[in-house]
Amino acid sequence: MLFPVKVQYYKGLTKALKVAAAVIPMPKPTLFSGADSSLELCEAIHHLGIKKLLLVTDKVLVEIGLLNKIQAKLEEQGINVTIYDGILPDPTYDQVEKGLSILKKNKCEGILAVGGGSPIDASKAIAARATNDKSLEKMAGLFKIRKAPLPLFVVPTTAGTGSEVTIVSVVSDPDTHQKSPIIDPKLVPAMAALDGKLMLGLPPAVTAATGMDALTHAIESFISTNATDETRGYALAATKLIMENLETSVHDGKNFEARQNMAMASYYAGLAFTKAGVGYVHAIAHNFGALYSTPHGLANSIVLPHILDYSKSDIIPQLAELAKASALKTGRESNKQLADKFIARVRSMLQSFEIPETLDSLKKEDIPRIAKLALEEAHANYPVPKYMDKGTCEALIGKMVA
């Protein structure tokens, strides 16, 4: 078990983060939302006087033609566009540095990121490197970016990460695969477009995993000990929208209204966890990703019900509120009954999406290392509602062995 003095020390660290979140201004991007809002964003970039733009994305989006209208609109506005499509899932230092080299070679004045969390995270890092003579390794951590990054604009094509509104960029060491979060309010994009039309062709499996990622953000921020009235409001709004629209988005991918609502849910969840933080789900999921290259949304989905089971005794009122937001209250259920119904609802969603509660690549011999790194990450950064020691964490991760 954890010694009480350690728990108090960890709580002190997270209280300091809460004070910082209350004192340090957290900018929000100018938001465009709705069908073809990505094209409205292109016009806004023109109004800012930007003539040369680096468009950061991945090869798949280029190949399927998803960028064609955006590129045409930018060029119609007299903006010269250079495309960098070398971003892969879990972007690495070298991908960022290559993007920076292309940006400098073409004298780009701003960056437009189009894609999921990986292109957006990479673009944040490229924008910061463009104006700061500092390596990515030295930027990792809290508030280490001195100069404002290059103007950054984003169009998310998945509804999950909330990267369009967060203060975080996660990049990885290509050799160790260790993720290095860069955390600074200066990383928040200047503008973002939530265009549900761009998400209509997203495959069901990706839709499900990214949607569960957004739900994890909403849940972990809501049960966080650093939650405020503002973050709880955003988290509840995100939860309601996800519960009403995610299954439709997965099973009827051409439903524009559901897609647009999921984009807004992801945005709300991003606003919530930017200030309130996340927890053990993310800490463990990050290490699954680092060790096995598990997609982040899938990793969160697998870990989420196990952490809810562990934390339940200390968060029954919060889970009951989430159950109410999910329209699960049908009579005079107690808070405990509602908490159980909410966890059961999460599990039923995973079953509907054919997402297991185990990870095929997880090896028993890796569990001690994963637990150690996850606890170090969580206890230094996350305001978890119920602490655990290494033995408890190892046992919990052991339940995820296939």
Side-chain angles (χ1 to χ4, degrees):
M1 62 176 288
L2 277 174
F3 291 110
V5 66
K6 280 192 174 182
V7 172
Q8 291 308 312
Y9 172 69
Y10 299 145
K11 287 183 176 180
L13 290 177
T14 56
K15 282 181 181 178
L17 290 174
K18 186 174 185 178
V19 171
V23 173
I24 298 172
M26 296 289 181
K28 297 176 185 176
T30 299
L31 189 66
F32 301 85
S33 181
D36 293 322
S37 57
S38 56
L39 305 183
E40 294 179 46
L41 173 60
C42 294
E43 293 181 2
I45 294 172
H46 162 68
H47 294 153
L48 293 177
I50 291 174
K51 297 297 184 182
K52 294 183 177 181
L53 192 70
L54 181 68
L55 198 164
V56 179
T57 187
D58 62 61
K59 281 185 171 58
V60 172
L61 296 187
V62 173
E63 289 169 357
I64 65 174
L66 196 70
L67 305 180
N68 291 351
K69 286 186 178 180
I70 292 174
Q71 185 177 359
K73 186 68 174 180
L74 289 167
E75 292 175 349
E76 177 188 308
Q77 302 291 317
I79 299 173
N80 181 272
V81 179
T82 299
I83 294 180
Y84 171 44
D85 63 1
I87 304 302
L88 301 172
D90 296 319
T92 56
Y93 296 161
D94 53 346
Q95 291 170 33
V96 170
E97 293 301 320
K98 183 176 180 181
L100 177 65
S101 175
I102 294 172
L103 180 142
K104 288 182 175 179
K105 180 181 178 181
N106 291 276
K107 299 179 180 179
C108 297
E109 304 159 329
I111 301 171
L112 172 61
V114 182
S118 293
I120 296 175
D121 276 5
S123 296
K124 289 178 178 179
I126 295 170
R129 282 284 287 119
T131 56
N132 290 268
D133 187 17
K134 205 173 188 180
S135 69
L136 291 170
E137 292 92 334
K138 290 184 178 179
M139 286 185 189
L142 293 168
F143 316 128
K144 294 183 180 179
I145 298 175
R146 188 167 61 87
K147 296 181 181 178
L150 213 61
L152 174 63
F153 314 94
V154 302
V155 180
T157 57
T158 62
T161 67
S163 294
E164 68 274 9
V165 73
T166 66
I167 65 172
V168 181
S169 168
V170 181
V171 290
S172 302
D173 185 306
D175 298 319
T176 66
H177 304 290
Q178 192 63 41
K179 294 177 182 287
S180 300
I182 303 169
I183 305 170
D184 197 295
K186 297 184 186 71
L187 290 174
V188 175
M191 297 180 180
L194 305 181
D195 189 342
K197 282 180 69 175
L198 298 180
M199 303 178 189
L200 293 178
L202 207 62
V206 178
T207 302
T210 53
M212 291 303 297
D213 188 17
L215 182 61
T216 303
H217 293 154
I219 293 171
E220 289 209 293
S221 64
F222 193 76
I223 65 177
S224 162
T225 57
N226 280 3
T228 65
D229 288 344
E230 178 189 17
T231 64
R232 281 188 285 264
Y234 284 130
L236 287 174
T239 300
K240 182 175 186 294
L241 284 170
I242 292 166
M243 291 301 185
E244 292 174 347
N245 294 279
L246 179 54
E247 288 178 309
T248 300
S249 295
V250 172
H251 300 303
D252 179 15
K254 297 297 183 182
N255 187 309
F256 169 75
E257 183 180 0
R259 292 291 193 182
Q260 191 64 41
N261 285 337
M262 281 302 303
M264 188 57 68
S266 177
Y267 177 79
Y268 286 151
L271 289 172
F273 88 82
T274 288
K275 283 193 173 184
V278 287
Y280 284 131
V281 178
H282 273 76
I284 295 171
H286 283 158
N287 285 282
F288 283 174
L291 196 57
Y292 307 119
S293 299
T294 310
H296 181 63
L298 176 61
N300 273 342
S301 302
I302 291 168
V303 180
L304 179 59
H306 298 283
I307 294 297
L308 292 180
D309 287 341
Y310 170 77
S311 304
K312 185 178 75 171
S313 61
D314 288 47
I315 55 171
I316 286 175
Q318 294 97 314
L319 292 176
E321 286 301 309
L322 290 168
K324 293 173 186 175
S326 305
L328 297 176
K329 184 174 176 60
T330 57
R332 303 176 67 176
E333 298 101 328
S334 66
N335 278 353
K336 183 180 181 304
Q337 289 172 320
L338 288 172
D340 290 336
K341 288 180 76 171
F342 182 75
I343 296 174
R345 171 69 171 131
V346 170
R347 282 197 157 94
S348 71
M349 291 172 73
L350 294 176
Q351 291 171 1
S352 170
F353 304 148
E354 298 183 353
I355 297 176
E357 292 185 35
T358 58
L359 180 63
D360 288 341
S361 54
L362 178 58
K363 300 174 183 176
K364 289 182 180 179
E365 58 266 30
D366 292 334
I367 291 176
R369 176 189 173 194
I370 294 171
K372 178 179 179 293
L373 293 173
L375 292 182
E376 287 175 355
E377 176 181 332
H379 293 162
N381 300 286
Y382 304 150
V384 298
K386 182 180 179 181
Y387 286 88
M388 69 173 77
D389 60 17
K390 190 167 183 286
T392 303
C393 190
E394 289 179 4
L396 187 144
I397 296 171
K399 297 178 180 178
M400 301 177 217
V401 176

